[in-house]
Amino acid sequence: MALRIVGLSALVGVLFLGFIALASFASAAVAPTVTVTVHDEDENDVSSALVGSPLHAHVEVASSSATTTPLGTVDFHLFSGNETCSGTSTVEANVPLEDGFAGSSTTTLPIGGLSYRVHYDGQEDIYTEADSECVAVSADMFTPSLALSLSDDNVEVGSFVHATPSLIGESSNASGTIEYRVYENDTCTNLVLDAGDKEVADGSTPNSDAFPFNATGTFHWQGHYTGDTNNAAATSSCAGAVLTVVATTTDDDDDGKDDDKDDDDKDDNDKPKKDKGKHKGFLNGLPFGIFKKVFGDEDFPIPPGIVKRFLGEDYFSRIFDWHEKDDDKDERYEEDDDDDDEKEWSGRKARGARISR
């Protein structure tokens, strides 16, 4: 009887030791470390990026106490629009590990940023399930700059002028508005003209409206880009596009020179320059009829000097030749080839008659 009791006790002891061994084996599964990083297209680890940038997550599952590389799958939880892994996530589930690593599909960084949390599904008897920390990427807006150039920066009164924008550093799909304004002071506070608000579409930036400037002065153009969800606002320099408007110059004698430039109409002796034929057919810019008003009778001879000055040397010669060839048509003037004085006087009479006609 005693032997039976001893044998039973031994059996119980063996069973107990076996149970302890099994429990020890089961407790050998360890909790791994799950580490997440977010990468850009060039595989750089990023914590911030421009809005719209393509990003993806990498995860590594590892343990310093285990002797084998973790196997199994992970679930990527993407929280779009916040950096705290809060709210509803988009889940990319059952992505297999390869040598302890896995990667998510690519997403676009939205306004408000994004965040990832990754869950490891574990490996039976070796690794337990585990979660990563929340990893966030903040969203940076594009910060463009705006400059203006003018169609002309020095004009006369009445001229039309418009501005052309140069928006640099914006996103390719930039939208928003450029507001064009014109000021009369160099701090752009005294507004004198609204030159239009122009819509920006896919980065295309229209010119301002064109306006005539009807007063002299100095005018400062400025543009303001309102920005959009991806692009910050920008304002051009008040000193970057300055327009000077001057008084209109006159040229009453049609000689291509301004009348207020007196020196251009005189020679070195301060005497009026010769007419050079610009008033041919006119007396001080007036038609032949004025000769009649000035000299009275149309038969009154006009001195050759006046004919040469206002009708030109060529016309003077034609009149003189005409008189020589057609002397028999006008019996009032007889020509005497031997008398130069009479010829001169007759020439004058003939020319006077020709002009009056």
Side-chain angles (χ1 to χ4, degrees):
M1 185 68 178
L3 290 174
R4 290 180 180 178
I5 293 174
V6 172
L8 182 60
S9 297
L11 179 61
V12 171
V14 170
L15 293 173
F16 179 75
L17 291 174
F19 176 78
I20 294 299
L22 289 173
S24 298
F25 180 79
S27 64
V30 297
T33 301
V34 181
T35 305
V36 177
T37 55
V38 181
H39 295 246
D40 62 16
E41 288 183 305
D42 297 323
E43 296 300 333
N44 297 310
D45 185 356
V46 297
S47 59
S48 65
L50 290 172
V51 172
S53 298
L55 302 174
H56 58 277
H58 281 191
V59 64
E60 179 186 9
V61 180
S63 173
S64 59
S65 60
T67 58
T68 60
T69 301
L71 299 176
T73 59
V74 293
D75 304 325
F76 289 92
H77 292 259
L78 168 62
F79 299 84
S80 182
N82 75 74
E83 302 176 27
T84 59
C85 294
S86 59
T88 303
S89 65
T90 299
V91 181
E92 185 177 355
N94 301 319
V95 179
L97 291 174
E98 294 182 8
D99 294 328
F101 292 91
S104 73
S105 59
T106 300
T107 188
T108 299
L109 181 63
I111 298 171
L114 58 76
S115 51
Y116 277 100
R117 177 174 281 126
V118 177
H119 175 75
Y120 173 53
D121 296 323
Q123 183 177 351
E124 186 176 2
D125 297 334
I126 301 176
Y127 293 104
T128 63
E129 296 185 13
D131 292 305
S132 72
E133 298 290 335
C134 180
V135 176
V137 177
S138 61
D140 298 332
M141 297 186 72
F142 286 82
T143 55
S145 62
L146 176 64
L148 299 185
S149 60
L150 301 180
S151 55
D152 198 336
D153 59 9
N154 195 311
V155 300
E156 292 184 350
V157 168
S159 299
F160 280 77
V161 178
H162 70 269
T164 298
S166 176
L167 188 64
I168 299 174
E170 80 281 17
S171 65
S172 60
N173 62 343
S175 59
T177 302
I178 296 181
E179 302 167 345
Y180 296 95
R181 303 293 183 266
V182 183
Y183 301 86
E184 64 181 356
N185 62 330
D186 60 7
T187 56
C188 289
T189 55
N190 296 336
L191 180 67
V192 295
L193 177 65
D194 182 336
D197 296 343
K198 303 299 178 180
E199 295 298 321
V200 177
D202 292 329
S204 175
T205 52
N207 294 341
S208 75
D209 294 327
F211 286 92
F213 284 77
N214 298 319
T216 60
T218 300
F219 302 93
H220 296 257
W221 288 67
Q222 189 173 63
H224 175 70
Y225 171 56
T226 60
D228 59 16
T229 54
N230 296 336
N231 298 273
T235 301
S236 67
S237 169
C238 188
V242 181
L243 171 66
T244 300
V245 182
V246 299
T248 304
T249 57
T250 58
D251 184 19
D252 294 339
D253 55 6
D254 298 326
D255 61 354
K257 300 176 181 178
D258 298 342
D259 290 342
D260 56 353
K261 297 179 180 179
D262 295 336
D263 292 342
D264 292 342
D265 295 329
K266 298 182 180 180
D267 58 20
D268 294 338
N269 296 322
D270 200 29
K271 295 180 180 180
K273 289 185 176 180
K274 293 182 179 180
D275 191 87
K276 296 183 180 180
K278 68 189 175 203
H279 285 112
K280 288 182 180 179
F282 294 83
L283 174 62
N284 288 337
L286 300 176
F288 286 126
I290 297 302
F291 283 86
K292 297 180 181 180
K293 297 291 185 180
V294 174
F295 296 105
D297 193 323
E298 62 181 13
D299 291 333
F300 190 91
I302 300 173
I306 293 180
V307 175
K308 288 183 180 181
R309 176 174 176 80
F310 294 99
L311 302 184
E313 184 71 32
D314 183 62
Y315 192 35
F316 173 79
S317 299
R318 291 202 304 271
I319 293 176
F320 192 82
D321 291 342
W322 166 79
H323 176 67
E324 283 190 320
K325 294 177 182 179
D326 301 314
D327 59 320
D328 57 336
K329 293 182 181 180
D330 191 349
E331 296 179 356
R332 292 177 298 177
Y333 306 109
E334 290 186 350
E335 180 179 0
D336 187 352
D337 293 334
D338 297 328
D339 189 344
D340 292 339
D341 293 336
E342 183 63 19
K343 178 179 177 181
E344 172 70 16
W345 175 251
S346 298
R348 295 184 184 181
K349 294 286 286 183
R351 289 189 296 276
R354 180 67 175 268
I355 293 171
S356 65
R357 294 173 189 172

